[in-house]
Amino acid sequence: MKVSALLTSAGINIGLCILLWFLYSILRKQPGNVCVYFGRRLAQGHIGFENPICFERLFPSTSWIMKAWATSEEEILAVGGLDAVVFLRILVFSIRIFSIAAVICLLLVLPLNYFGQEMIHKQIPSESLDVFTIANVKEGSRWLWAHCLALYIISFSACLLLYFEYRSIAKLRLTHITKSSPNPSHFTILVRSIPWSAEESYSDSVKKFFMNYHASSYLSHQMVYRSGTIQKLMDDAEKMYKKLAELKNTAANQMCEPSLVRCGLCGEMTNSFKLLTNEAESVHDKEKPVLDQLKSDLKEKESAAAFVFFKTRYAAIVASHVLQSSNPMLWVTDLAPGPHDVYWSNLWTPYRQLWIRKIATLVAATVFMFLFLIPVTFVQGLSQLDQLQQMLPFLKGLLKKKFVDEVVTGYLPSVILMLFLLSVPPMMMLFSAIEGNISRSGRKRSACCKVLYFTIWNVFFVNVLSGSAISQIIAISSPKDIPTQLAKVVPRQFLNVYVTKYESGGQFWPIAHNTTIFSLVLSQIIAIGVFGLKRSPIASGFTFPLVIFTLLFNEYCRQRFQPIFKSYSAQDLIEMDRQDEASGRMEEIYKLLLSAYCQFSTASTAIFKTQDSVRSDGSHDSEDVKSGLSYPTLCSLLYQEFDK
């Protein structure tokens, strides 16, 4: 590829960025797009509607850029949560590393590569990119020391930044755990692979087991139900509740217009409601058989999994880590994810199937990665004009035009590759869901790792090795030859829109850390191979300690910071328990646990929370219906009845 092709690609991308910036700046001002660009502020009631007739809305502005730039980390933490802060930290960290590498390479490495050999240079736009790489440096050149020095500077800078970021985010996570409002997940564990018994139900088994072995700390439990039928039951309960709310409103007004339409709840004529004299008694009499039917149906749909609640955080953490049975495949316990983080469809998956699912998803992901070789190889062919002309000889005349050449080799490959890459995240999310993750954040973390592995393999290794590596598979069959082969081929927002559904406590940061370490070690190994090819054993030898240092640094971070992101400390949990007991908040927390893990859709919650009730005086109450059962209360009642 020539420099002119690279500049053409950069020019097109910059032009598209400016166009998108103009469109965003204009579209965000239109009243019809408020729900798109200001979803969070609209939900919180922090935004109003202005006069739609305003010519200023037709022109772009830059004020939003300065507002976004001036937003402090504390504001983002208060609005978006710790995960949002970590995501932005990852972006800022990446920009810092890129900036350091860009300055070092532009001022030190690139000029040395350009003048690495005695040759007649063309005008820079006509130069091949190869003259700017280390491939243009003569063998045994003393200037290879500059490349080794640049590698040291970039590696040490990256490790230093990683350390400060890891330490800072670890402190934020500890603060998030100890200073935030009581989290139901701190008192809850998820128990799976509950043994089946013909004499008692799963619920009875759970209660009997934990009352026997955790009697002093066990509070209560909630069963997990199989999907499908249970969701249908809850949908039916949702419809039933709407009918009950209408019934209460009618009874409160002590009147109902005659109608021949039958009531969907009981099948009687709606004018029969005139006969109701005792509102609460009549309505609850109608609710009782429905609740009994729900209880009977739900018990039949119990799965071998349950949420178990404990009286203290410390008791929950201990129970989650202790082996509950001599058979490790029974009574398997884990810390429960947050109520809004639960991935319900995976909770009733038999525990014994998980290892099969993991192997199957690994095989499927591997097959998908190899199938992706087809578009990647095609894209690589586009960047090499000679190969493209051989594959498609009828395009020779068109490809000889300079602008077409620059667009095809410089811009088109990246566009095609990005279009194909759009299919990767959904596929990896599907694989991670099948894998059996019990939380939404865990599924996304798993998918994130799969995307990283996929990108490293397909976009880096295959993209640079296609055409050479595929034909040289035998040559790289030995692991010791991989650095040499790579050395040969390589040189040739949040305040307005982001709505937090759940909080993982910054658990995505270790993924960014590990990815950076992997990238550093990979680049160092490639450098060793390059220095060896360039007959500079001293530079190659000095790079070995850098690899060892990077791995030792990673091990230190793994020992010092990573445990904070995996579990909670007994010291913090016991102190939090003591504070809640001293303040008298424990009873409130226990009541919260009863409905925190209700297995129903969030849409149902929204509907029932917005039902208006009518008091006897005709006034309205915008909260849950006071004279009847709110949806969370319905769930709590059912679970309490099951535990009796």
Side-chain angles (χ1 to χ4, degrees), residues 278-343:
N278 189 323
E279 174 191 350
E281 180 180 352
S282 301
V283 172
H284 286 292
D285 286 343
K286 295 179 180 294
E287 288 176 347
K288 190 175 186 304
V290 180
L291 291 175
D292 292 338
Q293 181 62 35
L294 278 174
K295 285 163 49 179
S296 176
D297 292 341
L298 288 174
K299 271 195 172 182
E300 295 178 1
K301 299 302 178 182
E302 289 179 350
S303 67
F307 289 102
V308 180
F309 310 120
F310 289 84
K311 297 178 181 178
T312 63
R313 298 173 178 86
Y314 180 72
I317 194 73
V318 170
S320 67
H321 289 297
V322 172
L323 193 64
Q324 301 294 334
S325 169
S326 56
N327 184 351
M329 297 296 289
L330 296 178
W331 297 105
V332 180
T333 56
D334 296 285
L335 277 177
H340 299 289
D341 193 19
V342 177
Y343 195 64

Side-chain angles (χ1 to χ4, degrees), residues 355-521:
W355 69 275
I356 301 177
R357 286 170 171 256
K358 291 182 179 180
I359 295 176
T361 54
L362 177 61
V363 172
T366 304
V367 171
F368 180 72
M369 290 170 65
F370 278 98
L371 289 177
F372 208 82
L373 289 175
I374 299 173
V376 171
T377 305
F378 174 73
V379 168
Q380 179 66 15
L382 290 179
S383 62
Q384 300 176 9
L385 198 59
D386 296 337
Q387 295 183 9
L388 187 61
Q389 290 178 348
Q390 293 177 2
M391 293 171 55
L392 304 173
F394 59 91
L395 294 179
K396 283 186 177 180
L398 184 63
L399 294 176
K400 289 181 179 179
K401 296 182 180 181
K402 184 178 179 180
F403 179 76
V404 175
D405 179 11
E406 294 174 353
V407 171
V408 170
T409 60
Y411 183 71
L412 193 58
S414 62
V415 173
I416 296 178
L417 184 60
M418 289 303 299
L419 291 177
F420 278 108
L421 286 175
L422 291 177
S423 65
V424 176
M427 287 298 298
M428 297 309 175
M429 285 289 285
L430 176 61
F431 291 151
S432 298
I434 298 175
E435 199 173 39
N437 289 285
I438 61 174
S439 65
R440 299 178 184 274
S441 60
R443 181 180 64 141
K444 289 187 177 180
R445 289 196 302 273
S446 178
C448 184
C449 292
K450 289 181 176 63
V451 171
L452 286 173
Y453 300 148
F454 179 92
T455 304
I456 292 169
W457 167 250
N458 273 290
V459 181
F460 180 72
F461 283 103
V462 176
N463 201 21
V464 301
L465 298 176
S466 59
S468 58
I470 295 177
S471 61
Q472 298 177 10
I473 289 180
I474 300 178
I476 64 173
S477 59
S478 177
K480 65 180 182 180
D481 295 332
I482 292 179
T484 302
Q485 295 298 326
L486 288 173
K488 290 180 179 178
V489 298
V490 169
R492 339 188 213 137
Q493 161 195 145
F494 281 99
L495 290 179
N496 295 328
V497 178
Y498 184 73
V499 179
T500 306
K501 294 183 179 179
Y502 58 85
E503 180 66 59
S504 72
Q507 290 184 332
F508 285 86
W509 172 254
I511 298 177
H513 173 88
N514 295 334
T515 303
T516 305
I517 294 294
F518 175 84
S519 302
L520 287 175
V521 173

Side-chain angles (χ1 to χ4, degrees), residues 12 69 197 239 241 258 327 347 409 412 564 620:
I12 295 176
W69 185 264
S197 173
K239 297 176 182 178
Y241 190 85
N327 184 351
L347 294 188
T409 60
L412 193 58
I564 299 176
H620 289 263

